[in-house]
């Protein structure tokens, strides 16, 4: 029973970080008029919606309720983006740097989840697949941010 609760807590945390990611990219999309960034952010939103659906399905199969909340760190991240934009930081580089900050948080959450020895292998496979996709997104955002830094 104790492992059941620990497993559910890990899955709930991953749902929350993906909910943060959805809200973060929705906010980022509103801060730019650039089509390529809007399309990229829409893709990342869709990925996280898929991830939350998959994780919530796992929770339901465990007999747990669906998780809809976000994390405190995600709320801080979104507030930080608001402050940055209000002080004129809505250029392409600033938006990408903010997004990379969020991607770093997602990577950390997934790494911490994978460190838990009590997770069943079927859940590990789901987390690993999502982590790989998120890592590719992180690397893409970082690359785009670096290109913008060079072009400034």
């Amino acid at each position: 029973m104790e492992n059941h609760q620990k497993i559910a807590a890990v899955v709930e945390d991953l749902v929350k970080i993906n909910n943060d990611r959805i809200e973060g990219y929705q906010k980022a999309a509103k801060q730019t008029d650039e089509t390529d960034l809007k399309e990229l952010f829409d893709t990342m939103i869709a990925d996280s919606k898929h991830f939350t659906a998959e994780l919530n399905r796992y929770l339901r199969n465990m007999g747990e309720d669906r998780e809809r909340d976000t994390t405190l760190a995600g709320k801080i991240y979104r507030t930080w983006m608001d402050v940055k934009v209000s002080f004129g930081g809505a250029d392409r580089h600033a938006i990408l740097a903010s997004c990379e900050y969020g991607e770093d948080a997602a990577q950390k959450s997934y790494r911490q989840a994978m460190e838990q020895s009590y997770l069943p292998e079927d859940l590990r496979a789901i987390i690993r697949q999502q982590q790989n996709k998120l890592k590719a997104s992180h690397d893409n955002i970082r690359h785009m941010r670096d290109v913008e830094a060079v072009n400034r």
Side-chain angles (χ1 to χ4, degrees), residues 8-139:
V10 167
V11 176
E12 289 167 357
D13 285 346
L14 295 178
V15 171
K16 288 177 183 178
I17 198 71
N18 277 286
N19 287 341
D20 289 343
R21 196 169 180 260
I22 291 165
E23 288 186 27
Y25 280 116
Q26 287 170 338
K27 186 171 290 272
K30 290 177 185 171
Q31 294 174 3
T32 186
D33 293 325
E34 298 187 42
T35 305
D36 67 323
L37 289 182
K38 284 185 177 291
E39 289 173 358
L40 174 66
F41 300 157
D42 285 346
T43 298
M44 301 223 184
I45 290 166
D47 287 346
S48 277
K49 284 181 177 180
H50 173 77
F51 296 160
T52 60
E54 191 172 33
L55 293 166
N56 274 315
R57 188 169 37 253
Y58 197 92
L59 281 173
R60 281 191 305 277
N61 289 342
M62 290 180 66
E64 298 291 327
D65 289 333
R66 181 174 173 225
E67 181 58 58
R68 293 180 181 90
D69 203 6
T70 58
T71 65
L72 177 60
K75 291 173 185 161
I76 292 168
Y77 162 68
R78 288 186 301 281
T79 301
W80 181 71
M81 282 184 74
D82 285 341
V83 169
K84 196 169 191 177
V85 169
S86 68
F87 287 104
D91 68 25
R92 188 177 173 95
H93 180 268
I95 291 169
L96 289 167
S98 294
C99 292
E100 185 186 14
Y101 177 85
E103 291 298 317
D104 287 343
Q107 286 297 304
K108 181 179 177 184
S109 293
Y110 274 78
R111 267 193 312 276
Q112 288 173 337
M114 289 300 285
E115 291 171 359
Q116 307 311 310
S117 60
Y118 50 80
L119 296 182
E121 193 51 44
D122 62 334
L123 178 57
R124 283 186 175 286
I126 291 168
I127 294 171
R128 191 175 303 113
Q129 178 188 23
Q130 291 182 6
Q131 184 180 27
N132 290 339
K133 180 99 174 173
L134 288 168
K135 175 76 168 106
S137 295
H138 172 272
D139 292 349

